[in-house]
Amino acid sequence: MAAADKKREQVFEAIFHKSLIRGHVDDDKLKLYIEASKIPPPEETEQKEADEKNPEESSGDSESAPAPVEASSWPMTFQGWQNFLESKMAATFIDDRVAKDTFERLKQGGEFSARRIAQGEAAVQGRDGKLLPLVKSYDKYGKDKERLGNRTIKHFDNIEPGTPIARIYHPKAGKPGKNVFGEVIEAEEGKEISVEFDESISSEPAKAGQSYDVLYAAISGYLESVRGKLQICDELLISGDLDYGFGDIDFVGSVVVRGDVLSGFKIIAQGDVSVSGNVEGGFIISKTGRVSVGKAIIGNRQTTKDGKAEKKEFQIRAATGISATSVNGAFLDAGEEIEVKNEVRNSEIRTRSSLNMPKGNLISGDISAICGLEAGIIGNPTGIGLRISLCSDAEFSAEYKNIQNTIDSHVHAEEMLIIYLGPYAETPSDIKKLSQEHKSKLLPLAEKLEKVRTSLKALKLEREEILKKGTFNSVLRINYHKQILEGVTIRAGECNFVVQEDTKGPGTLEFEDDKQTFAFGDLKPLECDVTAHKSQQENDEHK
């Protein structure tokens, strides 16, 4: 027996014509091997029998006695060889190519080494039930994050209600097999899978023809597994600073940052945004909720020497309110009240309600509010840099903003043309007195200036029409609890008012519509009876 066959079990030994055929199988009986050797001459057989009777006198290695050899009754034909093989194994699994080759070898010499003559069919084990996620879940430990850019890392998929998030496949039955003798090999059945989930996820049983149940999100958020239970979480928690470690956030729920939001990083959230520390030049948008900052909002607003802003880019935008300890060089836009505890400096603030900082200092910036404002101290000793506009709801519309931006660009173009033309800007007819060389340069500029001024006039008329449709709050008040300083400029409609001297509080500066001016008086509470919320279109413009 060959060395490789010692691991196999002999299952038969029989004579075919003049050869001894032995069959061996593997442990699982899925493969059967045969080998052939010549039948030894009679003298060798007699010697072997003598050795078996006197093992101590035997000169060769002793082996255990083989099983009785079956006598040959098969004709030396290929059909006879096939019949022989089929008597030892299942005909279905016989390899015809090997059968033909071994028959030829029997005819030529009567011997061949182990050949695999038959192979059964293994049982196919049943498939276990499994969970197949359809969305990227949140890996809080950062092992499965996908970096898409310098500040953009995909931690999870945003999920809306009704989104299919996973499939639960049912276990699949196994398929029985057969060994080389045709005996059935039983298959193990697949195991059920247990999937736990909370009320933020709903389940739909398998439909006809499907082998899986479907899990759906019941709320907005991201998918995560908490102690082995699936859930949709609608609040994203950042335990430290928002920086390069996590990247920008675009989330369909609420966001909580325990640290600071560093410069350049963005949070766009469908719900509320809460930052425990500072917003240091970061950008935050809450599409339906409020933005709360535990410490300072520090922006990148640049101003000229007269205090006017050179760069306009909103840094914080909230559908409802905004709150912070202090605001410096930032841009804020809120659908409701803005609350600041300590100080506002060099900032642009737009609120469709009021700016509320009764114990704080409103030092400088551009403030636009529908329902007024109140602060401890309003203004600064220089007397410049603080402009307050008590607006109508129309001035917060996208239509008004587009018109105003166009007007601003026309004004800038007019100013540049006046610089180029110099004294000829107001007396273009004098250009004709110049040499041909100078006329060819200045006349086109003068014509362009005339067109810009004509267009600017039409735009201002269009803006007036928009403003006519607007609604002002019933009372326009500015409350100062400690002092309002000289130089503060206030606008309400067509009225432009400048505070002429420092005035101690508490007191109220109230607009008198019949006199089209502001009057000082005793402190009165702010009132707000105009509701002007951003449209979704406006929110989308600033994503």
Side-chain angles (χ1 to χ4, degrees), residues 166-217:
R167 293 176 180 175
I168 303 176
Y169 282 88
H170 301 165
K172 189 175 182 180
K175 180 182 178 182
K178 287 185 178 181
N179 64 22
V180 291
F181 304 113
E183 300 166 342
V184 175
I185 303 172
E186 298 295 337
E188 293 183 11
E189 297 296 322
K191 298 177 182 178
E192 292 280 355
I193 184 174
S194 176
V195 179
E196 295 186 42
F197 50 89
D198 67 7
E199 63 277 2
S200 65
I201 296 173
S202 62
S203 174
E204 180 182 82
K207 297 178 181 178
Q210 289 183 341
S211 60
Y212 52 84
D213 302 338
V214 182
L215 299 183
Y216 292 92

Side-chain angles (χ1 to χ4, degrees), residues 181-255:
F181 304 113
E183 300 166 342
V184 175
I185 303 172
E186 298 295 337
E188 293 183 11
E189 297 296 322
K191 298 177 182 178
E192 292 280 355
I193 184 174
S194 176
V195 179
E196 295 186 42
F197 50 89
D198 67 7
E199 63 277 2
S200 65
I201 296 173
S202 62
S203 174
E204 180 182 82
K207 297 178 181 178
Q210 289 183 341
S211 60
Y212 52 84
D213 302 338
V214 182
L215 299 183
Y216 292 92
I219 62 173
S220 298
Y222 61 81
L223 176 64
E224 69 172 345
S225 178
V226 179
R227 292 183 290 276
K229 180 181 288 188
L230 294 177
Q231 66 180 37
I232 304 298
C233 185
D234 59 1
E235 181 180 277
L236 175 61
L237 174 63
I238 308 300
S239 58
D241 296 339
L242 182 62
D243 54 19
Y244 288 100
F246 195 91
D248 292 341
I249 295 173
D250 186 350
F251 184 48
V252 293
S254 299
V255 177

Side-chain angles (χ1 to χ4, degrees), residues 271-283:
D272 295 339
V273 178
S274 175
V275 180
S276 298
N278 299 313
V279 177
E280 302 175 0
F283 299 84

Side-chain angles (χ1 to χ4, degrees), residues 260-280:
D260 300 332
V261 177
L262 302 188
S263 179
F265 288 92
K266 297 180 181 180
I267 299 175
I268 300 176
Q270 192 69 30
D272 295 339
V273 178
S274 175
V275 180
S276 298
N278 299 313
V279 177
E280 302 175 0

Side-chain angles (χ1 to χ4, degrees), residues 231 340 354 389 475:
Q231 66 180 37
V340 181
S354 59
S389 297
V475 292

Side-chain angles (χ1 to χ4, degrees), residues 445-497:
L445 294 178
E447 292 172 359
K448 187 173 183 181
L449 178 59
E450 184 179 359
K451 290 180 181 179
V452 168
R453 285 174 169 172
T454 302
S455 178
L456 183 58
K457 185 178 179 180
L459 288 168
K460 288 181 177 180
L461 290 173
E462 190 175 349
R463 181 180 64 181
E464 288 178 11
E465 291 299 317
I466 295 173
L467 291 174
K468 287 178 182 179
K469 301 175 185 177
T471 303
F472 281 91
N473 197 47
S474 59
V475 292
L476 301 177
R477 293 171 181 161
I478 295 175
N479 291 346
Y480 49 98
H481 289 259
K482 292 183 179 180
Q483 190 178 31
I484 186 168
L485 300 176
E486 177 186 351
V488 175
T489 63
I490 306 168
R491 181 185 68 84
E494 296 299 321
C495 172
N496 289 285
F497 180 84

